[in-house]
Amino acid sequence: MLLPFFSSAQVAENDSIKIKEHDVSEIQYTLDSLLSYNYHIEAQQVADSVIQIAKDTYSNTDERIVLLHKRIAEKFADRGFSNIASQYIQQGLSILRSQPSPNYAFIGDMYIYLAQIFRHHQLSNIAINYYEQAAESYEQSEGTNHYYNLINVYMTLGTFHFEVKNFGTSSSYYTKASNIIAKMDTEYRADMVEILNRIAVAQTATGSFKKAQQNLLRSEMIAKKVFGKNALELENVYEQLIDMYIQKSEFDSADIYAVKAVKILKGNIGTTERRQKYERFLADTFFGNREYSLACKWYDVLYDDAYITNQNSLEEIATITDWYITIGEKMERVKQDSLANNVYEKALSVNQKYFGEENLKAASIMHKISRTQTKLNYFEQAEIYTNKAYAIEWDLGTEKDSTQFIVQQIDLAGLLLMKGDTTDAEDLYHKVLELEDDRESRWKAIAFNNLTMIHLSALKYDSANYFAEQLLVYYSTNYGRDYIKTLGCYLLLGNIAFAQGMEQEAVEKYYSKPIRLAPQLFSKKNEVALLANLNLSRYYAELNKEDLSRRYDSYAREIQVYLSSKENYP
C-alpha cells in the first residue's frame, strides 16, 4: 500500500504543525511514515519544506531552527540514512557558526551527534574527526555547563587512541579529562579511577614509569575512598601497579601489590576462577622473567588455593597434585633444584594426607625428591627416599621381580658414586651383572659403562679395558656394529689405550672408526668426547698436522665451556 505524497502546500496548510522547541509531533509522524517505506526523497522534501516554514517564521539564525535540523537528522539516522542525516546536522552547524557570537557549547553538542551517527554505522575514523571538532568547540565555550560533555569527548578520544595503541595521544586526552575533573572539584568520583588507570597504562607503554606510578597511587587513593578497601575496582588498580613494576623489572614491588590484589579477590564472593587464573598469571610471569623464587611462591599459592577449593574431590586433588609435580619438574629444568625439592616435598605431604602414607604416587614423588636431593649433595637423605620408594613399590606391586631389585641397585649405586663411595658402588654394579648374567638388558650396559669409568679414574687400565670391551660386545651383539653407542665404545677404548701410552694404537685401532663413521661423536658434550678430543689434538700436534690438531682442540674447548657452565645431573 502506497502512502499519499504530502506536498509542500499540504504541509503548509497543516495548522497543527507548530515550530516550537518541543512540539513537532506532526512532522515526526509524516517523516516516520515516509521513511518506513524508504521514501527518503519525499521525506527530504517534507523536511525541507518544514525548515523553510521555520525560517519564514523565525530569523535564519534562530537556534530553534538548528534544533529542527537536529530532530530531522535523528529521523533519517534512525532509518539508516546516515549521509542525509549528516547533511541536516551540517546545515544546522552552518547556522550556528554564522552567528555573531557562536554558541560553541551547542556547536559541540551538534558535532557529538554527528560523530555518533557515523560511530553507530562503524565509520570510526569519520566519527573521531567529529569528536575532535566537538572538543575544539567545547574548549572555546565559556562557563562550566559543558564540562561533563567535554570530559566524555576527551574520554572517547582517549579510548579510541588507547585501543589502537596510540598511547601518547591517548594519554594526552585522558590527562585533559582528569584536569577538567579537578577543576570541577569532583576528583573523588568513580570514573576518575578509570581515567587515571588508562593514563597510567598509556604512560607505562611509553616508558614514563614515574608518571604512571604517580597516577596509579592517586587512583589507589580515590578507589579506596569511593569504593572501599576490599573493592574489585581497587584490585584493578593493583593489577596496573603490578604490570608497571614488572615492566620496570622491580619484581619485589610487583610481588607486594600482587599479595594485596589476591587478598581483595579472596575477600569477594564469586572470584575463585578469576583469582586462580591471576595467580597462575603471576607465577608464569615471574617464571618468564627468571624470578624463580617468586614464581615458585605463586605456584605454591595457586596449589593451596586449588586443592582447598577442591578438597572434597579426591579426583580433583590428584589432578591438581599431578599439575604441581610438573612445576617441580619445570624448576628442575631451569636448575632450581632446591625449589623443585620443596615442590616435591609439599606434593608428597598433600598426597599422603589424602591417599595414605603408602601409595604408588607417593613412591613416584619420593624418587623425584631423591633425585633433587642428590643434586643438592644431600646423599644420605636421597638414599633414604630411594629405599622408601622401592619399599612402597614392592609392598604394593604384584610381585617382587628381579627388575625392581636391579633398578634399585642401579639408583643406589648412582647415589654412592655421587658421594664418592666408589667401592660400594662397584659392589652394587657387580651384583647387577650377576643378576643379569643370563640375559641382555640396558642395566647390564649401565653397569659395564660405569665400572669402566670407575676403573679408568682409578688408573686401573686393564680392568677398565675389560669392562669397555664387554660394553662393546653388548652393543655390537644387540644393536649392531654401526650403532652409534657401539661406535661410542671405540672412543672409550681409545681413551684407555691413550692413557696407557699406546697413542698410535689408540688412534689407528679405536679413534679411527668413529672418525670415519660417526664424527658427530666428537661433538658430544660429555667427558669421554672431551678426553678423546684432547688426546687427538695432542697426537696430531706432535705429527705437525696443525689443521687436525686445531680442529680437535676447538671441539675440546666447546665441550669444556659447556661442562663448566652445566650443573651435573645423575
Side-chain angles (χ1 to χ4, degrees):
M1 176 179 176
L2 295 177
L3 288 176
F5 172 71
F6 292 92
S7 69
S8 300
Q10 287 174 308
V11 173
E13 291 171 359
N14 192 336
D15 293 333
S16 64
I17 297 179
K18 297 179 180 178
I19 311 303
K20 293 185 179 180
E21 188 172 341
H22 300 292
D23 189 7
V24 289
S25 59
E26 288 296 328
I27 63 167
Q28 287 178 350
Y29 173 77
T30 303
L31 288 174
D32 284 340
S33 298
L34 291 170
L35 290 173
S36 66
Y37 286 88
N38 292 327
Y39 293 156
H40 62 279
I41 296 175
E42 292 84 351
Q44 279 184 269
Q45 292 174 347
V46 171
D48 292 342
S49 298
V50 173
I51 289 171
Q52 187 58 51
I53 293 171
K55 287 182 178 179
D56 292 341
T57 305
Y58 307 106
S59 67
N60 287 341
T61 59
D62 196 297
E63 289 187 359
R64 286 173 288 188
I65 298 177
V66 178
L67 284 172
L68 182 60
H69 278 83
K70 183 175 183 293
R71 287 173 184 170
I72 290 171
E74 289 171 351
K75 291 299 174 186
F76 282 98
D78 289 344
R79 294 294 177 174
F81 298 105
S82 301
N83 289 331
I84 297 174
S86 66
Q87 291 172 16
Y88 284 106
I89 294 294
Q90 291 284 14
Q91 291 172 16
L93 280 166
S94 297
I95 294 171
L96 288 172
R97 283 194 292 262
S98 67
Q99 294 175 342
S101 299
N103 184 341
Y104 288 109
F106 197 178
I107 292 173
D109 294 343
M110 293 289 281
Y111 274 124
I112 286 179
Y113 185 70
L114 194 55
Q116 289 171 341
I117 291 174
F118 287 97
R119 190 177 185 183
H120 176 72
H121 292 282
Q122 299 181 348
L123 298 170
S124 57
N125 289 330
I126 298 174
I128 288 302
N129 176 56
Y130 288 127
Y131 278 121
E132 289 172 346
Q133 293 187 63
E136 292 174 3
S137 299
Y138 284 133
E139 287 168 353
Q140 297 179 69
S141 182
E142 297 179 355
T144 61
N145 291 335
H146 64 285
Y147 273 6
Y148 284 104
N149 286 342
L150 181 55
I151 291 169
N152 289 333
V153 170
Y154 283 148
M155 288 294 292
T156 300
L157 290 167
T159 300
F160 171 80
H161 288 285
F162 183 88
E163 289 174 351
V164 298
K165 301 187 184 305
N166 189 357
F167 294 119
T169 304
S170 171
S171 179
S172 174
Y173 281 118
Y174 284 137
T175 301
K176 287 181 178 181
S178 67
N179 290 339
I180 294 293
I181 291 172
K183 285 182 181 180
M184 296 170 66
D185 197 25
T186 56
E187 182 177 18
Y188 290 96
R189 47 186 270 175
D191 58 355
M192 190 63 177
V193 174
E194 182 183 355
I195 291 171
L196 292 171
N197 287 355
R198 288 293 185 94
I199 294 172
V201 169
Q203 290 169 333
T204 299
T206 55
S208 300
F209 297 121
K210 187 174 181 180
K211 291 180 180 179
Q213 183 178 9
Q214 290 171 349
N215 281 312
L216 286 171
L217 292 177
R218 183 177 162 202
S219 179
E220 178 190 11
M221 177 184 67
I222 296 170
K224 283 180 179 178
K225 188 167 182 178
V226 174
F227 301 109
K229 294 183 178 180
N230 199 40
L232 292 175
E233 289 82 0
L234 179 59
E235 191 273 339
N236 289 333
V237 178
Y238 288 148
E239 286 193 20
Q240 292 294 111
L241 280 161
I242 293 163
D243 181 64
M244 182 203 67
Y245 282 121
I246 287 173
Q247 292 197 46
K248 286 180 69 179
S249 298
E250 294 183 10
F251 300 108
D252 289 337
S253 295
D255 180 58
I256 290 171
Y257 283 100
V259 172
K260 292 182 178 182
V262 170
K263 183 179 178 181
I264 290 176
L265 290 173
K266 286 183 177 180
N268 282 270
I269 298 173
T271 63
T272 301
E273 184 178 352
R274 173 180 171 181
R275 180 180 70 244
Q276 292 177 1
K277 184 177 180 180
Y278 194 61
E279 289 164 350
R280 180 63 182 266
F281 164 79
L282 290 168
D284 288 345
T285 300
F286 284 128
F287 187 90
N289 284 280
R290 300 183 181 181
E291 294 294 319
Y292 299 122
S293 293
L294 289 175
C296 203
K297 167 186 172 178
W298 284 101
Y299 284 127
D300 192 45
V301 168
L302 175 58
Y303 181 47
D304 287 343
D305 195 346
Y307 90 72
I308 289 173
T309 302
N310 297 278
Q311 58 186 322
N312 294 325
S313 170
L314 292 179
E315 184 179 352
E316 285 297 324
I317 289 172
T319 300
I320 294 164
T321 300
D322 285 344
W323 163 79
Y324 193 50
I325 290 169
T326 66
I327 298 304
E329 294 167 346
K330 187 175 180 179
M331 291 297 169
E332 275 195 271
R333 287 195 294 272
V334 293
K335 303 178 184 178
Q336 299 297 311
D337 299 312
S338 179
L339 295 175
N341 188 75
N342 293 340
V343 169
Y344 293 143
E345 288 185 340
K346 183 165 185 174
L348 177 62
S349 175
V350 172
N351 170 273
Q352 292 180 321
K353 175 181 177 182
Y354 287 95
F355 300 98
E357 289 292 320
E358 295 188 359
N359 63 82
L360 291 176
K361 175 61 71 174
S364 173
I365 299 171
M366 287 176 185
H367 282 303
K368 296 179 187 297
I369 294 173
S370 175
R371 184 174 68 220
T372 54
Q373 292 194 337
T374 298
K375 289 185 283 187
L376 294 168
N377 297 326
Y378 301 147
F379 301 113
E380 292 182 1
Q381 283 296 108
E383 189 173 349
I384 290 171
Y385 274 107
T386 293
N387 288 330
K388 281 183 179 179
Y390 281 116
I392 292 172
E393 289 171 345
W394 281 25
D395 287 343
L396 299 179
T398 56
E399 60 177 342
K400 299 178 181 179
D401 59 33
S402 60
T403 300
Q404 288 178 302
F405 183 73
I406 290 168
V407 172
Q408 183 178 16
Q409 304 308 302
I410 291 288
D411 284 350
L412 288 173
L415 287 171
L416 291 169
L417 282 179
M418 296 290 288
K419 290 169 63 177
D421 189 349
T422 56
T423 301
D424 288 343
E426 185 174 351
D427 289 342
L428 289 174
Y429 286 129
H430 279 295
K431 189 176 293 184
V432 169
L433 291 176
E434 290 174 11
L435 291 167
E436 296 292 275
D437 185 49
D438 296 331
R439 61 179 180 175
E440 302 297 332
S441 73
R442 67 188 187 94
W443 313 119
K444 185 184 284 188
I446 291 172
F448 281 139
N449 182 79
N450 289 353
L451 284 168
T452 301
M453 301 306 293
I454 290 170
H455 284 254
L456 181 58
S457 297
L459 307 181
K460 298 177 180 180
Y461 300 121
D462 290 341
S463 54
N465 190 78
Y466 168 76
F467 290 118
E469 289 282 3
Q470 293 300 310
L471 183 62
L472 176 60
V473 170
Y474 168 82
Y475 282 128
S476 180
T477 301
N478 291 284
Y479 299 99
R481 289 177 300 173
D482 295 332
Y483 179 56
I484 192 69
K485 288 190 177 181
T486 304
L487 294 170
C489 290
Y490 287 97
L491 286 189
L492 193 55
L493 286 163
N495 290 346
I496 296 169
F498 210 96
Q500 292 176 284
M502 298 182 290
E503 299 178 359
Q504 187 171 352
E505 181 180 350
V507 175
E508 294 179 358
K509 184 177 180 180
Y510 298 115
Y511 290 147
S512 60
K513 182 164 284 192
I515 286 174
R516 287 185 292 107
L517 301 176
Q520 69 271 29
L521 285 171
F522 293 93
S523 299
K524 292 287 185 182
K525 304 297 191 295
N526 57 51
E527 295 287 350
V528 174
L530 172 62
L531 184 55
N533 283 311
L534 290 172
N535 291 340
L536 285 168
S537 177
R538 196 179 90 190
Y539 176 78
Y540 286 119
E542 290 176 355
L543 295 177
N544 295 320
K545 295 183 177 181
E546 295 298 329
D547 290 344
L548 289 173
S549 177
R550 281 195 295 269
R551 177 194 299 175
Y552 290 105
D553 180 64
S554 175
Y555 290 155
R557 289 176 183 276
E558 289 179 9
I559 296 170
Q560 283 177 318
V561 169
Y562 175 81
L563 294 178
S564 65
S565 63
K566 177 180 178 295
E567 290 185 13
N568 292 321
Y569 284 78

